[in-house]
Amino acid sequence: MSRRIAVAGAGMAAARFAQQYRAHGGDAEVVLYGAEPRGPYNRVLLADVLTGRHDPEAIALPHGAGTIVRAGCEVVGLDLPERRLRLSGGGFAPYDELVLATGANPVLPPLRGLYTPDGLKEGVHAFRTLADCARLAEDAAGAERAVVIGGGVLGVSAARALAALGLPVEIVHQAPHLIERHLDEQAGNALRGHLAALGVETYPGNRARALRGGARVTGVELASGYLLDADLVVLACGVRPRTGLAGAAGLTVRSGVVVDDRLAASAPGVYAIGDCAEHRGTVHGLAGPAWEQADLLAARLAGADEDARYTGSRPMTRLTAGSLEYAAFGEVGEDAPGTDVLRLVDPTRGSYKKLVLRGDRLVGGILLGDLSAVGDLTRAYERDDPLPENPLDLLTTTR
């Protein structure tokens, strides 16, 4: 029998692994086992599906010629000594190598009134899958006001999409400013202004504590007691790595499935990549690092670079949607030792640009409202290239 590589998961990391494995000349049988009823797709573009900019079929991802995708067939158990999988439809499947690409689940906040006996209150939605997207689009068509709980990357994307559908939208965010993991306070406030121009109001520094309404949501109650009327609520409170499968099998799990520099888990022949993987104490939770991990593991298992080692990623977040666009990467704070900060702010154009330097190297940056320099900056950051004598040239020559 031919060698078989099983991939538990059929999302972005899994598709990238399978595609790159074939690109490197790998000749094993590769099987992707996915819980969703369709093949791999680009989750980053869900907001554009919601607005109708893309059809669901348009965001499908390539996964390499000859790759077998078993959609709607989730891996529900691992027999590590026997190297076989237990599948949701019943039965077992053998493997020689196993790649865990189980992704992450949305975090549901501890809100009073979130659930009815039948599940989530009507009008309340997570936003993680194409099925979520379809349900949200159907509900939004008859809604009057929306509240998005969570002002991170996903929350901002969802709010922008709902506003594009013509809904008044409000964001409730517990942190002091939007997208606090990637933006500084000044950029977060500038983003708030961009959203306001699109019809999205934001409430940073506020916590949602309860949902009002009986069978269907009618409002969101804040910890301050203030009530936001809403008949549509989107939960965008982050994600949590899906590690239950690995943990039940006895693999080492902390925040994610623990892997070494080979992306190997704590059992022979088992690897983990993407949102479920924890490397050197970090779970990235972003598409860029997931694809870097998939690329490296594919090269290793295909025999193209068996000595390759993953030492970490330099991730970037980016959103481009009409007038709302930003990019952020690396260290964006100003209290790191040995760093200098350059900043250009243009209130008239609504642009904000910030570079964080350590010596002649770029270690972080934020661009909001004008991404004309993003290509040069991200290349300098990713390659760790020395900067020109006047780093401001990187921000001004391409304006």
Side-chain angles (χ1 to χ4, degrees):
M1 293 179 63
S2 65
R3 173 176 164 230
R4 171 179 285 194
I5 300 175
V7 183
M12 294 175 66
R16 178 75 173 199
F17 166 80
Q19 180 193 38
Q20 293 299 105
Y21 179 79
R22 292 291 182 231
H24 286 298
D27 58 2
E29 179 183 84
V30 179
V31 185
L32 275 53
Y33 296 90
E36 295 186 55
R38 62 172 66 229
Y41 57 87
N42 190 339
R43 214 177 294 277
V44 174
L45 297 176
L46 282 178
D48 289 328
V49 174
L50 181 60
T51 63
R53 182 182 179 189
H54 294 312
D55 292 328
E57 293 73 20
I59 66 170
L61 289 172
H63 42 75
T67 299
I68 300 170
V69 178
R70 296 194 61 182
C73 183
E74 185 178 7
V75 177
V76 296
L78 304 178
D79 184 341
L80 299 179
E82 295 296 324
R83 297 203 179 199
R84 64 177 187 164
L85 315 174
R86 183 161 56 88
L87 306 176
S88 58
F92 296 84
Y95 68 85
D96 295 290
E97 283 96 15
L98 170 64
V99 179
L100 297 175
T102 49
N105 287 324
V107 173
L108 301 183
L111 300 175
R112 294 200 310 272
L114 180 61
Y115 296 99
T116 69
D118 297 323
L120 286 176
K121 191 185 294 287
E122 190 177 343
V124 179
H125 299 264
F127 190 43
R128 180 71 179 170
T129 68
L130 271 171
D132 294 337
C133 190
R135 287 190 291 266
L136 180 56
E138 182 179 4
D139 220 357
E144 295 185 0
R145 297 191 65 85
V147 169
V148 176
I149 300 177
V153 175
L154 178 62
V156 168
S157 297
R160 186 270 305 172
L162 291 170
L165 293 176
L167 280 173
V169 184
E170 294 166 303
I171 297 176
V172 178
H173 190 47
Q174 191 167 344
H177 63 268
L178 296 171
I179 314 186
E180 76 284 354
R181 286 185 58 192
H182 307 292
L183 302 182
D184 62 12
E185 182 178 4
Q186 195 168 352
N189 290 336
L191 177 59
R192 185 180 182 184
H194 279 269
L195 288 169
L198 299 176
V200 178
E201 294 298 323
T202 59
Y203 299 86
N206 280 275
R207 179 175 61 85
R209 70 179 179 189
L211 299 185
R212 295 284 186 89
R216 185 177 183 90
V217 65
T218 60
V220 177
E221 181 183 335
L222 305 185
S224 63
Y226 191 72
L227 181 66
L228 302 176
D229 291 332
D231 55 357
L232 186 70
V233 173
V234 176
L235 305 176
C237 305
V239 296
R240 183 175 293 116
R242 294 186 65 197
T243 60
L245 183 68
L251 294 170
T252 301
V253 171
R254 290 196 287 262
S255 294
V257 181
V258 176
V259 297
D260 60 19
D261 289 358
R262 298 171 299 135
L263 298 172
S266 57
V270 181
Y271 305 85
I273 57 175
D275 290 356
C276 72
E278 176 181 337
H279 174 262
R280 298 187 184 182
T282 297
V283 178
H284 287 289
L286 295 169
W291 283 3
E292 290 176 16
Q293 293 170 3
D295 290 353
L296 184 141
L297 184 60
R300 284 187 54 85
L301 296 189
D305 190 355
E306 296 180 359
D307 296 324
R309 294 291 187 272
Y310 178 71
T311 58
S313 294
R314 312 188 91 188
M316 180 183 78
T317 60
R318 180 170 179 172
L319 173 66
T320 303
S323 62
L324 179 59
E325 56 181 8
Y326 70 82
F329 52 90
E331 303 174 26
V332 298
E334 301 181 20
D335 54 357
T339 58
D340 297 301
V341 175
L342 298 177
R343 186 183 282 109
L344 285 179
V345 182
D346 187 342
T348 303
R349 298 186 179 184
S351 69
Y352 175 85
K353 303 177 183 182
K354 175 181 179 179
L355 302 182
V356 182
L357 314 176
R358 184 172 289 115
D360 64 349
R361 296 303 198 270
L362 180 64
V363 297
I366 299 172
L367 300 175
L368 189 144
D370 177 7
L371 301 192
S372 58
V374 69
D376 291 339
L377 291 174
T378 54
R379 279 190 294 271
Y381 169 68
E382 291 169 353
R383 298 173 183 173
D384 200 26
D385 290 338
L387 298 178
E389 184 175 349
N390 183 6
L392 279 175
D393 290 344
L394 291 171
L395 298 180
T396 57
T397 57
T398 54
R399 286 174 62 89

